Amino acid sequence: MILLLPALAILVPASVAHASAPSRPTAAGHLSANANPAILTDPTGDNGAAPDITSIEVANDASGYIAFQIGMTRRPTRADMRVVVAIDSDQKAATGFEGSDYLLLAAPATGSYGLARWDGTQFVDSPETTLSEEGGVADITFSINRSELGNTAEFNFWARTVQGPTFAAGHYDSVPDTGSSSYALGVEPDIHLSVERSHAGTARSGKDFVALIVVTRSDILLADVTVADVTCAASVGGRALAATTRDGLGPAAGCLWRMPKRSHGKLLRASVAVTLDGVTVMKRFAERIK
C-alpha cells in the first residue's frame, strides 16, 4: 500500500501499512471535558477530489494515550484515498521531515493503518503496540500512547487527506490549511466507564458458563482491555467459585467458570469487572443452574 507524505510526495514504505485490528465498537463521538480536549475546525468545500475534513479533535488520558479524531463529511470509501496525521513530537523544525517526526497513516477503504518514524533519511516502520484506528460514517480516530511518540508531553501536528497516487493541488485537504497546531498533554483521571452490552450463556450443571461484557469510555479513546484489567467473581449456592479463564481484548472482557457437578437448581451469582485508569465498571449475572 502507498501512503503519502504531505510536501514532497515521498512514498512511505509498504511495510508501514498494517491490517486493521478486529472490529470493535466506535468510541464516544464527542470529546469529554475530562479528556483535555482541543478542536480545530476546517471549512467544507476546500478539498477538491480528496475527502473533506471538517474538524480534528485531540485528547489525552491520564495514562498517556492520545486520540486524534478526524471529522469528515463522510468516511472515505475509495481505495486511492489516504488519511495522514503528522506529529512534530519535539517541536523542533530542524528534526524530522520538515519538522514531522512521526506519521499516523490510514487507508480507510481497506481498514489498514500504521505508524511511521523519520530515521534521518526517510520514514520507516515504527513499533506500534499501542496504536489503534477506528471510524464511523464520518470520522476516523487514531489512538496511541505517547511512549511510541518519543514520550512527548507537547507536540505540533496537522492532518491531511489525500486522493490519488501523488500529492497534488486539488487532491488533498488539510487542517490547519497551512502550518500546524500545537497540543500539550494534560493529566485528567476523571473518566467514566460503562458496559455497552453484555452476554451470558446458560448455566448447566457440570458445564462451562461464559459471561462477556463490552466496555466504553466517556472520552473518545478506545477501551483497550487486557487480562490484567479483568476481575471475575462467582458463587454457586453461596460458595465461592474460582474462574477457569479470564480474558480481555479491545473493549471486550470475559470470564469462564466450570459449574460444579450436581449443582442443578442452585443459584449462580457471577460478575465481570474491568478497571481502566483507576476506574472500575462491573456487570452482575444471576440465574438458576439447569
Side-chain angles (χ1 to χ4, degrees), residues 46-62:
D46 62 344
N47 57 306
D52 197 357
I53 299 177
T54 57
S55 66
I56 178 169
E57 300 180 64
V58 187
N60 76 276
D61 71 1

Side-chain angles (χ1 to χ4, degrees), residues 224-268:
D224 191 8
V225 181
T226 67
V227 174
D229 303 320
V230 181
T231 301
C232 307
S235 65
V236 173
R239 300 185 64 177
L241 179 66
T244 304
T245 305
R246 63 187 173 112
D247 201 2
L249 178 63
C255 301
L256 182 149
W257 299 267
R258 172 59 65 92
M259 296 297 99
K261 295 180 179 179
R262 297 183 293 277
S263 59
H264 174 79
K266 293 183 178 181
L267 179 62
L268 166 68

Side-chain angles (χ1 to χ4, degrees), residues 61-65 188-191 193 217 219 221 229 275-280:
D61 71 1
S63 62
Y65 272 87
E188 178 50 72
D190 187 17
I191 67 163
L193 302 177
R217 300 170 57 109
D219 52 28
L221 298 176
D229 303 320
T275 300
L276 297 173
D277 296 338
V279 180
T280 300

Side-chain angles (χ1 to χ4, degrees), residues 110-174:
T110 62
S112 298
Y113 60 91
L115 173 67
R117 173 182 56 83
W118 184 255
D119 70 354
T121 303
Q122 62 182 341
F123 278 98
V124 297
D125 194 12
S126 183
E128 51 172 58
T129 57
T130 68
L131 176 64
S132 63
E133 182 269 332
E134 187 59 74
V137 295
D139 65 81
I140 290 174
T141 300
F142 293 99
S143 177
I144 189 170
N145 195 277
R146 72 189 189 108
S147 61
E148 294 187 325
L149 299 176
N151 209 34
T152 184
E154 185 172 359
F155 55 87
N156 298 329
F157 70 96
W158 51 258
R160 178 167 291 161
T161 57
V162 179
Q163 182 270 323
T166 60
F167 174 71
H171 293 270
Y172 71 90
D173 192 19
S174 300

